[in-house]
Short mmCIF file of all heavy atoms in Angstrom, two decimals:
data_model
loop_
_atom_site.label_atom_id
_atom_site.label_comp_id
_atom_site.label_asym_id
_atom_site.label_seq_id
_atom_site.Cartn_x
_atom_site.Cartn_y
_atom_site.Cartn_z
N LYS A 60 53.75 21.94 24.46
CA LYS A 60 53.45 20.51 24.38
C LYS A 60 54.00 19.70 25.50
O LYS A 60 53.29 19.09 26.25
CB LYS A 60 53.85 19.96 23.02
CG LYS A 60 53.31 20.68 21.82
CD LYS A 60 53.70 19.90 20.46
CE LYS A 60 55.12 20.09 20.14
NZ LYS A 60 55.59 21.38 19.96
N SER A 61 55.38 19.87 25.68
CA SER A 61 56.03 19.07 26.72
C SER A 61 55.45 19.56 28.12
O SER A 61 55.33 18.74 29.10
CB SER A 61 57.52 19.20 26.67
OG SER A 61 57.99 18.81 25.50
N ASP A 173 56.68 11.81 24.38
CA ASP A 173 57.07 13.15 23.93
C ASP A 173 58.06 13.04 22.80
O ASP A 173 59.19 12.84 22.93
CB ASP A 173 57.72 13.86 25.08
CG ASP A 173 57.93 15.40 24.86
OD1 ASP A 173 57.78 15.88 23.75
OD2 ASP A 173 58.16 16.17 25.82
N GLU A 174 57.50 13.20 21.59
CA GLU A 174 58.32 13.15 20.32
C GLU A 174 59.17 11.91 20.41
O GLU A 174 60.44 12.03 20.17
CB GLU A 174 59.03 14.39 20.08
CG GLU A 174 58.27 15.68 20.26
CD GLU A 174 58.63 16.81 19.42
OE1 GLU A 174 59.52 16.63 18.66
OE2 GLU A 174 57.97 17.82 19.45
N ILE A 205 52.77 13.49 22.01
CA ILE A 205 53.28 14.89 21.57
C ILE A 205 54.06 14.72 20.34
O ILE A 205 55.00 13.92 20.29
CB ILE A 205 54.11 15.60 22.62
CG1 ILE A 205 53.28 15.69 23.95
CG2 ILE A 205 54.61 16.87 22.17
CD1 ILE A 205 52.01 16.51 23.86
MG1 LIG B 2 58.78 19.56 23.77
#
Side-chain angles (χ1 to χ4, degrees):
K60 301 184 293 299
S61 299
D173 195 345
E174 312 212 1
I205 300 297

